[in-house]
Structures are given as structure tokens and as C-alpha cells.
């Protein structure tokens, strides 16, 4: 007990006597300090005293698929900062190969009595993935917000970048540069944002009076290697402009062009999606469609906190406008 008091006190920056007063329900402790001590108990994995177990912790689960793609650390930074400003402590949960699954993290977060959960890039966006753990959260009345497009039946509020507009911007840019053979690389076939991007791409081709050939569309894993493999096939088919569903896919497409002896943007133009960190430092600097991560993250936190405070929040999707950022990876089509 003595070591537990000391560890919690050090975590919060208060005396052991203050921690003891909180644990024993004694007066003389401010509400902010009391909440901080309870949050520290949860973060450190200590069980709350029985008289305090009915109170939900001021912890928020932030569940991400990975941290290698730089867009997800950016999401974590914005959401975590906005939560801290509201007096909540984010608990970062990242899926890794051979590690905890998304469902495992949900069980852990429920055990920790979290106040809510934000999911970004999770199974909610994959039609063929398991979704039972979302139903468990809904049945327990845990506030949840989803970051970007989701399958239809989950019943949670969402904040999303408008995938339709993103592809419209990228396609119009390449078409204005004279590219007629434009290809699209997106994620797996059951990925909802990718489905939306492909639908927009088909609509843009139809509007321009262009046929969409199978070799102009590719599904790939969201990784540099996936972009490389997909772009290699497109380049052999004569595509001169490639729109990608993420920045790592776009970097893979640029690598594929160079391996094929082609220059970017001299022979091939490439557009990414996200505008994640350091995309202005690549060679060439990447033209990409920027997700408004700051606005999305703050809106997600506002929707979550409103639910926590008892407000009625509709299970609707808020769409945010992306922005085309033109850099050095796109140029006029040859000939």
C-alpha cells in the first residue's frame, strides 16, 4: 500500500497524504486533484477502492492501427492535446502484428472504466472485419467517435475527410496538366474510404468522357511496398498520372517509376493523400491532398465530450473539406 501511494503521488505530483485522502473519500482535496489521482490509479493499473468503482475514469481510449504511417501520430497529437485541454487523459492503443487486437484493447479499456473511445483507421472502416466489439461499447453506453468513413450499421458519430472531393481535386489537377491516362491506387477492396475514392474516380472519368480500364485501378496494402507493386503494373499499361489513397502509397509509386527508368514528374505525375509529416521534404516534394487533421481531431473530441456530458449527439457523419497541396511530383504530360 505504501509503495502504491508513493507511485500515484509521484505520477500526479502531490503528497502521499493527498492520495490517501482521495482513496479514503476524505474532504480537503480539490475536484481537479481528485480526478487526477483517480486517473493515475487507472493509468498505473491499480484497482480503485470499492466505494469509487462506480465512477467512470477520465480516461479516453485512442485506438490506432499503426504508428509507421505518419498520419496516425499526427492524429494522436491533435486528439491527445484536445483531450488534455478538456481534463481527460488519452490512453494510446496501437495494433501490432502478433500483439493485441482491436477487440482486446476494447476489453482492456472497459476494464479501466474509460469515459469514451476514439477510433481512427480501425476495423470500423473495413466491411469484412469483425465488428462485435463496437456493439459491446454501444451496449455499455460508452461514448465513441469514429475518425473517417465507416461501415453503415455501427451507429456512432463520425468525422471524415470528404473522399469524393479529394479525388475530384486530384483528378482535375492532373487533367489540367494534360494527363489522359490517369490511374488510381487505393487500399483493400473492403475499405470504405477507398470505395468512396474509387466511386469518385469513376465519376470523374465518366464526366471527362474517359473509359475506366481495369489496369487503371489497383488495390494495395497501405504501405510503400503496396504502392510500388501497384504502380509498376500501371506504368506498364501506359498510365502517366497516378492518384494514391495515402502518402506512403504515393512514395511507393514514385519509387516504382524510378526503378522503371522514368522521372517524376517528367514522365509520370503522382498525387498522394494525407499531407503527412515531411512530404514537403521528399524528392521531389509530394503533391498531395491534405486532410484537415486539426479540425477533424478537435471536432472528434468535441463530439465525444458532448456525449460524456450527457448531450444527445446524432450518429451522423461530419464531412470536412480537403485541400490540394501542389508541389513537385506533378507536372505537364509529355507530348
Amino acid at each position: 500500500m505504501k509503495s502504491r501511494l508513493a507511485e500515484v503521488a509521484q505520477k500526479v505530483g502531490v503528497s502521499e497524504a493527498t492520495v490517501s485522502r482521495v482513496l479514503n473519500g476524505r474532504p480537503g482535496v480539490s475536484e481537479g486533484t481528485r480526478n487526477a489521482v483517480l486517473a493515475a490509479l487507472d493509468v498505473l493499473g491499480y484497482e480503485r477502492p470499492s466505494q469509487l468503482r462506480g465512477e467512470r475514469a477520465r480516461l479516453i481510449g485512442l485506438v490506432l492501427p499503426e504508428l509507421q504511417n505518419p498520419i496516425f501520430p499526427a492524429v494522436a497529437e491533435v486528439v491527445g492535446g484536445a483531450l488534455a485541454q478538456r481534463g481527460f487523459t488519452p490512453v494510446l492503443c496501437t495494433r501490432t502484428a502478433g500483439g493485441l487486437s482491436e477487440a482486446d484493447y476494447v476489453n482492456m479499456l472497459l476494464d479501466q472504466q474509460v469515459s469514451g473511445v476514439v477510433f481512427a483507421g480501425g476495423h470500423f472502416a473495413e466491411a469484412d472485419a469483425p465488428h462485435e466489439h463496437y456493439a459491446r461499447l454501444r451496449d455499455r453506453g460508452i461514448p465513441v467517435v469514429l475518425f473517417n468513413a465507416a461501415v453503415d450499421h455501427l451507429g456512432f458519430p463520425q468525422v471524415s475527410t470528404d473522399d469524393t472531393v479529394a479525388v475530384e481535386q486530384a483528378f482535375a489537377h492532373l487533367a489540367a496538366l494534360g494527363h489522359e491516362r490517369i490511374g488510381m491506387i487505393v487500399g483493400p477492396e473492403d475499405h470504405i474510404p477507398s470505395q468512396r475514392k474509387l466511386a469518385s474516380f469513376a465519376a470523374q472519368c465518366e464526366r471527362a468522357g474517359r473509359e475506366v480500364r481495369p489496369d487503371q485501378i489497383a488495390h494495395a496494402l497501405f504501405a510503400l511496398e503496396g504502392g510500388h507493386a501497384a504502380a509498376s503494373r500501371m506504368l506498364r499499361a501506359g498510365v502517366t498520372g497516378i492518384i494514391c489513397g495515402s502518402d506512403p502509397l504515393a512514395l511507393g509509386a514514385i519509387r516504382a517509376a524510378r526503378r522503371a527508368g522514368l522521372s517524376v514528374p517528367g514522365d509520370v505525375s503522382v498525387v498522394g493523400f494525407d499531407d503527412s509529416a515531411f512530404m514537403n521534404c521528399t524528392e521531389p516534394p509530394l503533391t498531395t491532398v491534405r486532410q484537415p487533421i486539426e479540425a477533424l481531431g478537435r471536432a472528434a473530441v468535441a463530439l465525444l465530450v458532448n456525449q460524456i456530458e450527457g448531450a444527445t449527439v446524432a450518429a451522423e457523419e461530419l464531412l470536412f473539406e480537403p485541400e490540394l497541396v501542389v508541389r513537385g511530383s506533378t507536372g505537364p504530360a509529355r507530348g
Side-chain angles (χ1 to χ4, degrees), residues 32 37 50 57 67 91 96 111 141 172-173 177 183 195-196 210 221 236 265 276 301:
V37 169
S50 57
L67 292 176
V91 179
T96 56
D111 288 342
H173 174 60
L177 291 171
Q195 293 176 4
R196 291 183 177 183
R210 302 177 186 181
L221 295 176
R236 288 194 294 270
S276 44
V301 170

Side-chain angles (χ1 to χ4, degrees), residues 99-163:
L100 294 180
S101 68
E102 197 171 274
D104 291 332
Y105 276 124
V106 166
N107 290 334
M108 181 196 75
L109 293 170
L110 287 173
D111 288 342
Q112 293 294 319
Q113 295 187 310
V114 293
S115 296
V117 186
V118 176
F119 291 91
H123 289 324
F124 66 84
E126 302 163 0
D128 298 338
H131 298 134
E132 292 81 4
H133 51 289
Y134 298 109
R136 199 176 315 130
L137 288 167
R138 189 174 61 247
D139 294 344
R140 293 277 290 269
I142 304 298
V144 170
V145 176
L146 308 178
F147 203 105
N148 275 332
V151 296
D152 290 332
H153 61 274
L154 298 181
F156 295 125
Q158 303 165 229
V159 294
S160 304
T161 300
D162 194 324
D163 294 300

Side-chain angles (χ1 to χ4, degrees), residues 247-277:
D247 290 338
L249 285 175
L251 296 180
I254 291 174
R255 187 174 73 175
R258 287 179 172 157
R259 296 276 176 90
L262 303 172
S263 69
V264 178
D267 300 305
V268 182
S269 289
V270 178
V271 181
F273 178 79
D274 283 337
D275 194 28
S276 44

Side-chain angles (χ1 to χ4, degrees), residues 43-99:
V43 169
L44 294 170
Y46 291 127
E47 190 173 347
R48 292 186 179 203
S50 57
Q51 71 270 22
L52 299 176
R53 288 176 197 166
E55 301 184 25
R56 196 166 298 286
R58 291 184 68 82
L59 299 176
I60 302 296
L62 176 55
V63 185
L64 305 175
E66 57 162 315
L67 292 176
Q68 289 184 324
N69 184 335
I71 196 64
F72 292 117
V75 170
E77 181 179 9
V78 172
V79 172
L83 286 171
Q85 290 177 351
R86 300 289 194 108
F88 292 91
T89 301
V91 179
L92 182 62
C93 305
T94 308
R95 287 167 21 214
T96 56

